[in-house]
Coordinates of all heavy atoms in Angstrom, one line a residue:
M1 N 28.7 132.6 130.6 CA 29.6 132.1 131.6 C 31.0 132.1 131.1 O 31.9 132.4 131.9 CB 29.1 130.7 131.9 CG 29.9 130.0 133.0 SD 29.2 128.5 133.5 CE 30.5 127.7 134.4
F2 N 31.3 131.7 129.9 CA 32.6 131.6 129.3 C 33.2 133.0 129.2 O 34.4 133.2 129.5 CB 32.6 130.9 128.0 CG 34.0 130.6 127.5 CD1 34.9 129.8 128.1 CD2 34.4 131.3 126.4 CE1 36.1 129.5 127.6 CE2 35.7 131.1 125.8 CZ 36.5 130.2 126.5
K3 N 32.4 134.0 128.8 CA 32.8 135.4 128.7 C 33.3 135.9 130.1 O 34.3 136.6 130.2 CB 31.7 136.3 128.1 CG 31.5 136.0 126.7 CD 30.4 136.9 126.2 CE 30.1 136.7 124.7 NZ 29.0 137.6 124.2
N4 N 32.6 135.6 131.1 CA 33.0 136.0 132.5 C 34.3 135.4 132.9 O 35.1 136.0 133.5 CB 31.8 135.7 133.5 CG 30.6 136.6 133.3 OD1 30.7 137.6 132.7 ND2 29.5 136.1 133.7
Y5 N 34.5 134.2 132.5 CA 35.7 133.5 132.9 C 36.9 134.1 132.2 O 38.0 134.3 132.8 CB 35.6 132.0 132.5 CG 36.9 131.2 132.8 CD1 37.1 130.9 134.2 CD2 37.8 130.8 131.8 CE1 38.3 130.2 134.5 CE2 38.9 130.1 132.2 CZ 39.2 129.8 133.5 OH 40.3 129.1 133.8
I6 N 36.8 134.5 130.9 CA 37.8 135.2 130.2 C 38.2 136.5 130.8 O 39.3 136.9 130.9 CB 37.5 135.3 128.7 CG1 37.5 133.9 128.0 CG2 38.5 136.2 128.0 CD1 37.0 133.9 126.6
R7 N 37.1 137.2 131.2 CA 37.3 138.6 131.7 C 37.9 138.6 133.2 O 38.3 139.6 133.7 CB 36.0 139.4 131.7 CG 35.6 139.7 130.3 CD 34.3 140.5 130.3 NE 33.9 140.8 128.9 CZ 32.7 141.0 128.6 NH1 31.7 141.1 129.5 NH2 32.4 141.2 127.3
E8 N 37.8 137.5 133.8 CA 38.3 137.3 135.2 C 39.8 137.6 135.2 O 40.6 136.9 134.5 CB 37.9 136.0 135.8 CG 38.3 135.8 137.2 CD 37.5 136.7 138.1 OE1 36.3 136.9 137.9 OE2 38.1 137.1 139.1
E9 N 40.2 138.5 136.1 CA 41.6 138.8 136.1 C 42.3 138.3 137.4 O 43.5 138.5 137.5 CB 41.8 140.4 136.0 CG 41.3 140.9 134.7 CD 41.6 142.4 134.6 OE1 42.2 143.0 135.5 OE2 41.1 143.0 133.6
A10 N 41.6 137.7 138.3 CA 42.2 137.2 139.5 C 43.3 136.1 139.2 O 44.3 136.1 139.8 CB 41.2 136.6 140.4
G11 N 43.0 135.2 138.2 CA 43.9 134.2 137.9 C 45.2 134.8 137.3 O 46.3 134.4 137.5
A12 N 45.0 135.9 136.5 CA 46.2 136.6 135.9 C 47.0 137.2 136.9 O 48.3 137.1 136.9 CB 45.7 137.6 134.8
S13 N 46.4 137.8 137.9 CA 47.1 138.4 139.0 C 47.9 137.4 139.8 O 49.1 137.6 140.1 CB 46.2 139.2 139.9 OG 45.6 140.3 139.2
A14 N 47.3 136.3 140.1 CA 48.0 135.2 140.8 C 49.2 134.7 140.0 O 50.3 134.5 140.6 CB 47.0 134.1 141.1
A15 N 49.0 134.6 138.7 CA 50.1 134.1 137.9 C 51.3 135.1 137.9 O 52.4 134.8 137.9 CB 49.6 133.8 136.5
E16 N 50.9 136.4 137.8 CA 51.9 137.4 137.9 C 52.7 137.4 139.1 O 53.9 137.6 139.1 CB 51.3 138.8 137.6 CG 50.8 138.9 136.2 CD 49.9 140.2 136.0 OE1 49.6 140.9 137.0 OE2 49.4 140.4 134.8
Y17 N 52.0 137.3 140.3 CA 52.7 137.3 141.6 C 53.6 136.0 141.7 O 54.7 136.1 142.2 CB 51.6 137.3 142.7 CG 51.0 138.6 142.9 CD1 49.6 138.7 143.0 CD2 51.8 139.7 143.1 CE1 49.0 140.0 143.2 CE2 51.2 141.0 143.3 CZ 49.8 141.1 143.3 OH 49.3 142.3 143.6
A18 N 53.1 134.9 141.2 CA 53.9 133.7 141.2 C 55.2 133.9 140.3 O 56.3 133.5 140.8 CB 53.1 132.5 140.7
L19 N 55.1 134.6 139.2 CA 56.3 134.8 138.3 C 57.2 135.7 139.1 O 58.4 135.5 139.0 CB 55.8 135.4 137.0 CG 56.9 135.7 136.0 CD1 57.6 134.4 135.6 CD2 56.3 136.3 134.8
I20 N 56.7 136.8 139.7 CA 57.6 137.7 140.4 C 58.3 137.0 141.5 O 59.5 137.2 141.8 CB 56.8 138.9 140.9 CG1 56.3 139.8 139.8 CG2 57.6 139.7 141.9 CD1 55.3 140.8 140.2
L21 N 57.6 136.2 142.3 CA 58.2 135.4 143.4 C 59.3 134.4 142.9 O 60.3 134.3 143.5 CB 57.1 134.6 144.2 CG 56.3 135.5 145.1 CD1 55.1 134.7 145.7 CD2 57.1 136.2 146.1
A22 N 59.0 133.8 141.7 CA 60.0 132.9 141.1 C 61.3 133.7 140.8 O 62.4 133.2 141.0 CB 59.4 132.2 139.9
I23 N 61.1 134.8 140.1 CA 62.2 135.6 139.7 C 63.0 136.1 141.0 O 64.3 136.0 141.0 CB 61.8 136.8 138.9 CG1 61.3 136.4 137.5 CG2 62.9 137.8 138.7 CD1 60.6 137.4 136.7
I24 N 62.4 136.5 142.0 CA 63.1 136.9 143.2 C 63.8 135.7 143.9 O 64.9 135.9 144.3 CB 62.1 137.6 144.2 CG1 61.6 138.9 143.7 CG2 62.7 137.7 145.6 CD1 60.4 139.5 144.4
G25 N 63.1 134.6 143.9 CA 63.8 133.4 144.4 C 65.0 133.0 143.6 O 66.1 132.6 144.2
I26 N 65.0 133.0 142.3 CA 66.1 132.8 141.5 C 67.2 133.8 141.8 O 68.4 133.4 141.9 CB 65.7 132.8 140.0 CG1 64.9 131.5 139.7 CG2 67.0 132.7 139.1 CD1 64.2 131.5 138.3
G27 N 66.9 135.0 142.0 CA 67.9 136.1 142.3 C 68.6 135.8 143.6 O 69.8 135.9 143.7
I28 N 67.8 135.4 144.6 CA 68.4 135.1 145.9 C 69.3 133.9 145.9 O 70.4 133.9 146.4 CB 67.3 134.9 147.0 CG1 66.5 136.1 147.3 CG2 67.8 134.2 148.2 CD1 65.3 136.0 148.1
V29 N 68.9 132.9 145.2 CA 69.8 131.7 145.0 C 71.0 132.0 144.3 O 72.1 131.6 144.6 CB 69.0 130.5 144.3 CG1 69.9 129.4 143.9 CG2 67.9 130.0 145.2
T30 N 70.9 132.8 143.2 CA 72.1 133.2 142.4 C 73.0 134.1 143.2 O 74.3 133.8 143.3 CB 71.7 134.0 141.2 OG1 70.8 133.2 140.4 CG2 72.9 134.4 140.3
A31 N 72.5 135.0 144.0 CA 73.3 135.9 144.9 C 74.0 135.0 145.9 O 75.2 135.3 146.2 CB 72.5 137.0 145.5
A32 N 73.4 134.1 146.5 CA 73.9 133.3 147.6 C 75.1 132.5 147.0 O 76.1 132.2 147.6 CB 72.9 132.4 148.2
G33 N 74.9 131.9 145.8 CA 75.9 131.2 145.1 C 77.2 132.0 144.8 O 78.3 131.6 145.0
L34 N 76.9 133.2 144.3 CA 78.0 134.1 144.0 C 78.8 134.6 145.3 O 80.0 134.8 145.2 CB 77.6 135.3 143.2 CG 77.0 135.0 141.8 CD1 76.4 136.3 141.2 CD2 78.1 134.5 140.9
L35 N 78.1 134.7 146.4 CA 78.7 135.2 147.6 C 79.3 134.1 148.5 O 79.9 134.3 149.5 CB 77.7 136.0 148.5 CG 77.2 137.3 147.9 CD1 76.1 137.9 148.7 CD2 78.4 138.3 147.8
Q36 N 79.1 132.8 148.0 CA 79.5 131.7 148.8 C 81.0 131.8 149.1 O 81.4 131.5 150.3 CB 79.2 130.4 148.1 CG 79.6 129.2 148.8 CD 79.3 127.9 148.0 OE1 78.7 128.0 146.9 NE2 79.6 126.7 148.6
G37 N 81.8 132.0 148.2 CA 83.3 132.1 148.3 C 83.7 133.2 149.3 O 84.5 133.0 150.2
A38 N 83.1 134.4 149.2 CA 83.4 135.5 150.1 C 83.0 135.2 151.5 O 83.7 135.5 152.4 CB 82.7 136.8 149.5
I39 N 81.8 134.7 151.7 CA 81.3 134.3 153.0 C 82.2 133.3 153.6 O 82.6 133.4 154.8 CB 79.8 133.9 153.0 CG1 79.0 135.1 152.6 CG2 79.4 133.3 154.3 CD1 77.5 134.7 152.3
S40 N 82.6 132.3 152.9 CA 83.4 131.2 153.4 C 84.8 131.8 153.8 O 85.3 131.4 154.8 CB 83.6 130.1 152.3 OG 84.5 129.1 152.7
G41 N 85.3 132.6 153.0 CA 86.6 133.2 153.3 C 86.6 134.1 154.6 O 87.5 134.0 155.4
A42 N 85.5 134.8 154.7 CA 85.4 135.7 155.9 C 85.2 134.8 157.1 O 85.8 135.1 158.2 CB 84.1 136.6 155.7
M43 N 84.5 133.7 157.1 CA 84.3 132.8 158.2 C 85.6 132.2 158.6 O 86.0 132.0 159.8 CB 83.3 131.8 157.9 CG 81.9 132.4 157.7 SD 81.3 133.3 159.2 CE 80.7 131.9 160.2
T44 N 86.4 131.8 157.5 CA 87.7 131.1 157.8 C 88.7 132.1 158.4 O 89.4 131.8 159.4 CB 88.3 130.6 156.4 OG1 87.4 129.7 155.9 CG2 89.7 130.0 156.7
N45 N 88.7 133.4 158.0 CA 89.5 134.4 158.6 C 89.1 134.7 160.0 O 90.0 134.8 160.9 CB 89.5 135.7 157.8 CG 90.2 135.6 156.4 OD1 91.0 134.7 156.3 ND2 89.8 136.5 155.5
T46 N 87.9 134.7 160.3 CA 87.4 134.9 161.6 C 87.8 133.7 162.5 O 88.3 134.0 163.7 CB 85.9 135.1 161.7 OG1 85.5 136.1 160.8 CG2 85.3 135.3 163.0
A47 N 87.6 132.5 162.0 CA 88.0 131.4 162.8 C 89.5 131.4 163.1 O 89.9 131.1 164.2 CB 87.6 130.1 162.1
N48 N 90.3 131.7 162.1 CA 91.8 131.7 162.3 C 92.2 132.8 163.3 O 93.1 132.6 164.1 CB 92.5 132.0 161.0 CG 92.4 130.8 160.1 OD1 92.2 129.7 160.5 ND2 92.6 131.0 158.8
T49 N 91.5 133.9 163.3 CA 91.8 135.0 164.2 C 91.4 134.6 165.7 O 92.1 134.9 166.6 CB 91.0 136.3 163.9 OG1 91.3 136.7 162.5 CG2 91.3 137.5 164.8
I50 N 90.3 133.9 165.8 CA 89.9 133.5 167.2 C 90.9 132.5 167.7 O 91.2 132.5 168.9 CB 88.5 132.9 167.1 CG1 87.5 134.1 166.9 CG2 88.1 132.2 168.4 CD1 86.1 133.7 166.6
N51 N 91.3 131.6 166.9 CA 92.2 130.5 167.3 C 93.6 130.9 167.6 O 94.4 130.2 168.2 CB 92.3 129.4 166.2 CG 91.0 128.6 166.1 OD1 90.3 128.5 167.1 ND2 90.7 128.1 165.0
V52 N 94.0 132.1 167.2 CA 95.4 132.6 167.4 C 95.5 133.2 168.8 O 95.4 133.1 169.8 CB 95.8 133.7 166.4 CG1 97.1 134.4 166.8 CG2 95.8 133.2 165.0

């Protein structure tokens, strides 16, 4: 029974997918943080253009 548990790879696959999702999530959060200033500036310019 213990040998079958060690050879089971479903848990390893799930852990690998979770790690990949965590890395992608961190990348998205980092990119959003880096783009925050650019997006804010573009929105401000757009609002100023509309108000003129």
Side-chain angles (χ1 to χ4, degrees):
M1 182 173 164
F2 187 68
K3 288 181 183 180
N4 289 337
Y5 181 74
I6 291 175
R7 291 182 183 157
E8 182 67 35
E9 294 183 8
S13 295
E16 291 167 358
Y17 286 128
L19 182 60
I20 291 170
L21 288 174
I23 291 170
I24 291 172
I26 290 170
I28 290 171
V29 169
T30 302
L34 293 174
L35 292 174
Q36 179 180 2
I39 293 170
S40 177
M43 295 300 277
T44 301
N45 289 340
T46 304
N48 289 338
T49 302
I50 292 171
N51 287 334
V52 172

